[in-house]
């Protein structure tokens, strides 16, 4: 089962590599593949082709029905078609199909066990389907950015609500969360129809949601732990800070369709927030999905630190202060952080699988404990 699910992740991995290649081209740096198509599909490829496949695969596993795996299959295949020499329409149609099946998965999960966390995640699926349809209809990524943001922000926030409810949240906290999440989706829709008002609503809603997550997420308590809980909490809280900065930029500057501020908003959301969430959850989610171990190792903190420090260089100095070398160097180090995290995670998983197959070494006669020691 784990091997079959891993096959569905292969297109997501290729989409990630293609997206990183496109990032090098957009930074004006040498890239392994120099294709004009890649920068055009960079955003949709990474959000729907890569992250969308990860989200839909995890939801299909939770559903436990075979038809649910059509969602990651379509999203992954659609991402692959976007980077092939053929037309963009077939890939776009598969992205629409994958997002539609993801929404159907949430409907089935809702019938099984309704709840506010699931409702918020379903709202994210609605945003994903809307983004795929609008992109297929010819809208460019800057106008779709609020929809792509709502997809991943609501998906992740819904998962965090589910974990926060373990601490018995008061009813008013859940109501506030639903209001913030609904405002994020409403802001994404309004930003398409009335860009100025909708962007202001989206920025304010993201700031309110970040405030809620910071106040109620269990990460505030687990930050004082050690090992994996501390690592995950640090990634989560750092991600909330970047999402808050994106919301503040939208709230202050309104619609942003290009230039340094656009670069700042995009990468605050999708690198600072989304990728930090992926790093935080990978040691827990991937073993459950792929049935392969991914034990926490302190080396995982290295790419996480590199991601946030390089993003600070790129956004705070490069984008917001106009220092070009900081923008370019920060972007290159962002890519290095993603690749380093993947390499550390794969090597850690392979080493753990090897240890589980070989088992602990049998003790020799000279090292065997005596009877009194065993009794103790």
């Amino acid at each position: 089962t784990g091997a079959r699910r891993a096959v569905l992740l292969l297109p997501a991995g290729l989409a990630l590599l293609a997206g990183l290649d496109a990032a090098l081209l957009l930074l004006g740096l040498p890239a392994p593949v120099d294709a004009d198509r890649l920068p055009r599909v960079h955003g949709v490829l990474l959000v729907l082709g890569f992250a969308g496949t990860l989200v839909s695969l995890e939801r299909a596993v939770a559903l436990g029905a075979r038809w649910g795996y059509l969602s990651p299959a379509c999203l992954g295949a659609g991402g692959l078609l976007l980077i092939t020499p053929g037309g963009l329409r077939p890939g776009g149609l598969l992205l629409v199909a994958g997002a539609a099946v993801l929404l159907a998965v949430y409907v089935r999960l809702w019938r099984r066990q309704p709840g506010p966390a699931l409702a918020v995640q379903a709202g994210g699926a609605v945003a994903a389907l809307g983004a795929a349809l609008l992109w297929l209809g010819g809208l460019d990524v800057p106008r779709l950015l609020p929809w792509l943001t709502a997809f991943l922000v609501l998906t992740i926030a819904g998962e965090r609500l589910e974990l926060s409810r373990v601490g018995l949240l008061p009813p008013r906290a859940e109501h506030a969360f639903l209001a913030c999440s609904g405002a994020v989706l409403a802001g994404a829709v309004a930003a398409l129809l009335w860009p100025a008002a909708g962007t202001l609503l989206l920025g304010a809603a993201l700031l309110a949601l970040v405030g809620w997550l910071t106040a109620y997420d269990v990460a505030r308590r687990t930050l004082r732990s050690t090992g994996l809980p501390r690592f995950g909490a640090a990634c989560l809280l750092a991600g909330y800070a970047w999402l808050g900065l994106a919301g503040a930029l939208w709230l202050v500057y309104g619609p942003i369709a290009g230039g340094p501020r656009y670069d700042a908003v995009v990468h605050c959301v999708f690198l600072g927030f989304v990728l930090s969430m992926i790093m935080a959850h990978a040691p827990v989610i991937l073993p459950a999905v792929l049935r392969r171990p991914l034990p926490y190792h302190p080396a995982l903190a290295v790419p996480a630190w590199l991601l946030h420090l390089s993003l600070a260089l790129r956004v705070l100095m490069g984008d917001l202060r106009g220092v070009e070398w900081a923008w370019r160097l920060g972007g290159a180090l962002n890519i290095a952080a993603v690749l380093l995290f993947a390499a550390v995670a794969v090597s850690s998983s392979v080493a753990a699988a090897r240890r589980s197959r070989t088992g602990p070494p049998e003790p020799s006669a000279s090292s065997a404990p005596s009877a009194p020691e065993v009794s103790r």
Side-chain angles (χ1 to χ4, degrees), residues 41-201:
V41 300
H42 172 66
V44 172
L45 182 64
L46 287 177
V47 175
L48 296 179
F50 167 63
T53 301
L54 298 182
V55 169
S56 59
L57 179 57
E58 190 271 335
R59 291 289 83 191
V61 172
L63 179 65
R66 290 185 177 180
W67 65 266
Y69 291 96
L70 287 172
S71 180
C74 289
L75 290 170
L80 288 182
L81 286 179
L82 294 184
I83 61 179
T84 58
L88 297 178
R89 187 168 182 81
L93 287 171
L94 280 174
L95 293 179
V96 170
V101 175
L102 177 60
L103 183 57
V105 167
Y106 279 115
V107 171
R108 181 62 62 87
L109 290 172
W110 175 268
R111 290 175 180 172
R112 180 188 298 174
Q113 188 176 3
L118 198 62
V120 170
Q121 294 176 65
V126 170
L129 180 57
L133 286 168
L134 292 169
W135 189 76
L136 185 64
L139 261 69
D140 57 3
V141 171
R143 294 190 66 189
L144 293 179
L145 181 60
W147 291 73
L148 297 172
T149 297
F151 164 44
L152 292 178
V153 167
L154 293 180
T155 299
I156 294 168
E159 293 178 351
R160 297 312 303 171
L161 173 64
E162 195 65 43
L163 292 175
S164 299
R165 294 180 72 193
V166 175
L168 298 178
L169 289 174
R172 66 177 182 277
E174 287 195 359
H175 296 157
F177 179 85
L178 289 173
C180 294
S181 302
V184 169
L185 187 58
V189 175
L192 185 63
L193 303 174
W194 309 282
T199 303
L200 291 178
L201 174 60

Side-chain angles (χ1 to χ4, degrees), residues 18 89 131 137 173 179 214 229 271 273 279 308 317 326 328 353-354 364:
R89 187 168 182 81
T214 304
L271 279 181
F273 176 68
M279 289 181 172
H308 292 292
M317 286 191 63
R328 188 167 281 114
R354 231 176 247 159
S364 62

Side-chain angles (χ1 to χ4, degrees), residues 236-375:
L236 290 167
L237 294 175
Y240 297 157
W242 287 115
L243 184 61
L245 178 57
L249 290 172
W250 262 323
L251 186 62
V252 172
Y253 296 108
I256 303 172
R261 290 172 186 164
Y262 176 78
D263 185 85
V265 168
V266 166
H267 294 95
C268 281
V269 172
F270 298 111
L271 279 181
F273 176 68
V274 174
L275 190 58
S276 191
M277 299 298 116
I278 292 175
M279 289 181 172
H281 292 101
V284 177
I285 298 297
L286 288 182
V289 171
L290 300 181
R291 297 185 178 179
R292 291 187 63 87
L294 180 54
Y296 168 74
H297 191 280
L300 287 173
V302 175
W305 274 104
L306 180 60
L307 173 70
H308 292 292
L309 292 176
S310 61
L311 189 58
L313 179 66
R314 175 179 188 160
V315 171
L316 301 182
M317 286 191 63
D319 289 326
L320 301 185
R321 300 192 63 181
V323 182
E324 184 176 350
W325 68 263
W327 167 73
R328 188 167 281 114
L329 177 60
L333 292 175
N334 293 158
I335 297 169
V338 176
L339 294 174
L340 181 58
F341 181 81
V344 172
V346 169
S347 60
S348 177
S349 179
V350 169
R354 231 176 247 159
R355 288 194 299 268
S356 66
R357 284 196 301 266
T358 58
E362 295 184 3
S364 62
S366 59
S367 62
S370 62
E373 289 174 333
V374 172
S375 65

